[in-house]
Amino acid sequence: MHGMEESIGLYLPQNLHYCNESSRASQCPTSSLYDLPEYFYDDSISSAPTSRTSTSTDSWGVLPPLQHASFRPKASYKITDFIMHQTLGTGSFGRVHLARSKYNLRFYAIKVLNKAKIVRTKQVEHTNNEKTLLEAVQHPFIVNLWGAFQDASNLYMVMDFVPGGELFSLLRRSGRFPEQVAKFYAAEVAIALNYLHRLDIVYRDLKLENILLNADGHIKIADFGFAKRCSTSTWTLCGTPDYLAPEIVLQQRYTRSVDWYALGVLIYEMLTGLPPFHQPDGNTAILYERILQGPKFIPWPPLQPFATDIILKLMESDPVKRYGKSAYGSGDVFVHPWFGDVDWERLKNRRITAPYLPKLRGDGDASAFEKYPEDEVASYGIPGDDLHADEFPDFEYTGQTGY
């Protein structure tokens, strides 16, 4: 390997040039706070500090109902509408398959979840939330849900096939990202988080594994299993340990600022190759202790000053002072000097060339994903007794039709 640029096929867009460590903040082309488009501001959730004396129920404000995204036609699906191909990923409740429609011949990713496992582990609400939220969001950096249905044993969610694989895999092949590459991905994630927060959605599971790369190299955030819509605060303990904000570890109430904290962790991991409080032995007790000590105790490798500063601002232990939820809402993230050379409007519209373009042989190329044993497909769609159909009322029931 002759350097990071070669290892990831780096191409740096012209307008994502680099402010080096000798540059003063005033020399970097940072936008005025008031030059940002209106959609970069989100201040509808209170930034009041969380409390350990909160009750055990989530706090819900009066929220207008989410509307089904207008660009998606409502359609009915069943498993026999698709030719199932390889598994793209596995999880606690099922797996994601590459599948091809028999009708329009397009490739999709179908998430298959076992209903009995979901009920047994008390994940019914999370699963129903995921379907409801994905139906309502429409954004270039978020995966689309095209339809959902169920049979006697499983739930099925038909989503975009995002062929470039996980950003996690790209980082592991690269070791770490050059600063401009990390900035590109962090900026697109920030745009997506800002969009979700304006819909009162807290994502709660930001990590490299949930960021997929499209054929054009731009991101698609996937897996809304932990996402939730709330107008004030919540306190469910969920997420990935390395990315948990201190208030979640303390089981206090928290707001969507936990997503901005996770963005700080993500930036650190992209720049260094590992999360800031990583425990190679998986000892979560030590991990949580270090998270509570705060970012000043992070082992800092040599990073550019602006990069270090934005990580510290995003990983601020006090959620009231944390960037993304301080006085300017999310505006302080977008005008930070580390992002000073980003053209936000062009990036949002995907008019900036991505730093890495997946090498694809054609439609349906899933070579960017790992190989898994294919031992469950034969059970899909088999009629039988269904003890859990009423638990998932928004998933269309195909029953025995078409089998």
Side-chain angles (χ1 to χ4, degrees):
M1 186 178 296
H2 299 289
M4 189 64 57
E5 290 79 7
E6 182 175 339
S7 69
I8 66 170
L10 175 63
Y11 171 75
L12 289 181
Q14 291 296 317
N15 62 332
L16 276 179
H17 64 271
Y18 186 68
C19 284
N20 61 42
E21 71 272 21
S22 63
S23 300
R24 299 171 60 175
S26 60
Q27 295 174 318
C28 291
T30 305
S31 302
S32 163
L33 185 65
Y34 303 102
D35 291 339
L36 283 178
E38 185 273 337
Y39 53 72
F40 283 120
Y41 297 91
D42 59 348
D43 54 4
S44 58
I45 290 183
S46 169
S47 60
T50 57
S51 170
R52 294 197 69 173
T53 60
S54 302
T55 63
S56 61
T57 57
D58 287 336
S59 175
W60 293 83
V62 179
L63 291 168
L66 283 171
Q67 301 298 318
H68 191 281
S70 59
F71 81 104
R72 279 186 215 110
K74 291 189 177 181
S76 296
Y77 297 91
K78 54 184 180 292
I79 196 64
T80 52
D81 292 337
F82 301 92
I83 300 170
M84 303 295 280
H85 291 275
Q86 73 181 66
T87 296
L88 302 174
T90 62
S92 302
F93 312 118
R95 57 183 59 207
V96 179
H97 289 276
L98 174 66
R100 192 172 197 179
S101 168
K102 295 178 181 178
Y103 299 99
N104 64 17
L105 303 183
R106 285 181 56 186
F107 287 93
Y108 295 91
I110 298 185
K111 187 173 185 177
V112 184
L113 302 171
N114 182 276
K115 290 194 286 189
K117 291 180 181 178
I118 294 171
V119 172
R120 185 169 61 249
T121 55
K122 300 180 180 180
Q123 297 298 311
V124 173
E125 181 182 0
H126 283 162
T127 303
N128 285 324
N129 278 344
E130 178 176 17
K131 188 259 187 186
T132 300
L133 296 179
L134 278 174
E135 274 187 336
V137 298
Q138 178 180 350
H139 195 276
F141 299 147
I142 297 174
V143 69
N144 291 310
L145 174 70
W146 295 99
F149 59 97
Q150 63 179 302
D151 59 26
S153 301
N154 300 302
L155 305 174
Y156 303 87
M157 288 190 278
V158 183
M159 299 181 288
D160 289 334
F161 170 51
V162 188
E166 299 173 356
L167 191 57
F168 176 84
S169 299
L170 180 61
L171 181 64
R172 289 298 171 265
R173 293 199 303 270
S174 306
R176 60 183 180 84
F177 290 155
E179 183 166 356
Q180 292 301 98
V181 175
K183 185 186 299 186
F184 177 89
Y185 295 129
E188 293 199 333
V189 169
I191 291 173
L193 290 179
N194 186 69
Y195 166 80
L196 292 173
H197 292 172
R198 289 181 61 79
L199 294 176
D200 295 307
I201 296 171
V202 54
Y203 178 61
R204 300 198 294 190
D205 201 19
L206 184 64
K207 57 182 176 179
L208 288 162
E209 293 91 330
N210 287 343
I211 301 170
L212 305 179
L213 297 179
N214 215 346
D216 60 4
H218 293 274
I219 71 160
K220 287 274 190 182
I221 293 180
D223 198 343
F224 274 56
F226 288 151
K228 182 175 185 177
R229 192 164 184 245
C230 60
S231 63
T232 52
S233 62
T234 186
W235 76 325
T236 309
L237 177 60
C238 63
T240 299
D242 279 310
Y243 282 77
L244 294 181
E247 58 267 36
I248 299 180
V249 174
L250 292 171
Q251 299 184 49
Q252 297 174 342
R253 284 196 170 274
Y254 57 85
T255 71
R256 64 190 170 200
S257 68
V258 299
D259 287 340
W260 295 117
Y261 178 95
L263 178 61
V265 177
L266 188 83
I267 293 172
Y268 183 98
E269 183 169 4
M270 288 192 292
L271 291 173
T272 68
L274 290 172
F277 302 113
H278 177 67
Q279 295 300 307
D281 59 358
N283 189 320
T284 54
I286 296 178
L287 172 65
Y288 292 157
E289 180 181 338
R290 293 189 176 179
I291 288 173
L292 296 178
Q293 289 176 336
K296 292 182 180 179
F297 292 90
I298 293 174
W300 288 99
L303 298 176
Q304 298 297 331
F306 286 150
T308 301
D309 186 69
I310 195 169
I311 293 169
L312 287 170
K313 295 272 195 314
L314 290 167
M315 293 185 64
E316 164 63 49
S317 296
D318 184 345
V320 177
K321 298 177 182 178
R322 186 177 302 150
Y323 264 37
K325 273 314 303 170
S326 56
Y328 293 117
S330 62
D332 48 14
V333 176
F334 295 101
V335 299
H336 189 279
W338 193 62
F339 286 130
D341 47 4
V342 176
D343 186 329
W344 292 104
E345 191 67 25
R346 292 188 66 212
L347 186 63
K348 177 177 179 288
N349 293 316
R350 292 185 298 180
R351 290 166 50 206
I352 294 176
T353 303
Y356 167 79
L357 297 179
K359 296 178 180 178
L360 303 172
R361 295 187 293 266
D363 291 345
D365 181 359
S367 58
F369 296 86
E370 295 182 20
K371 300 289 186 182
Y372 298 88
E374 307 292 346
D375 53 3
E376 296 188 16
V377 179
S379 67
Y380 298 162
I382 295 178
D385 294 333
D386 187 352
L387 302 177
H388 308 298
D390 294 340
E391 301 278 0
F392 309 97
D394 293 331
F395 286 77
E396 184 178 6
Y397 195 80
T398 62
Q400 299 185 24
T401 303
Y403 299 110

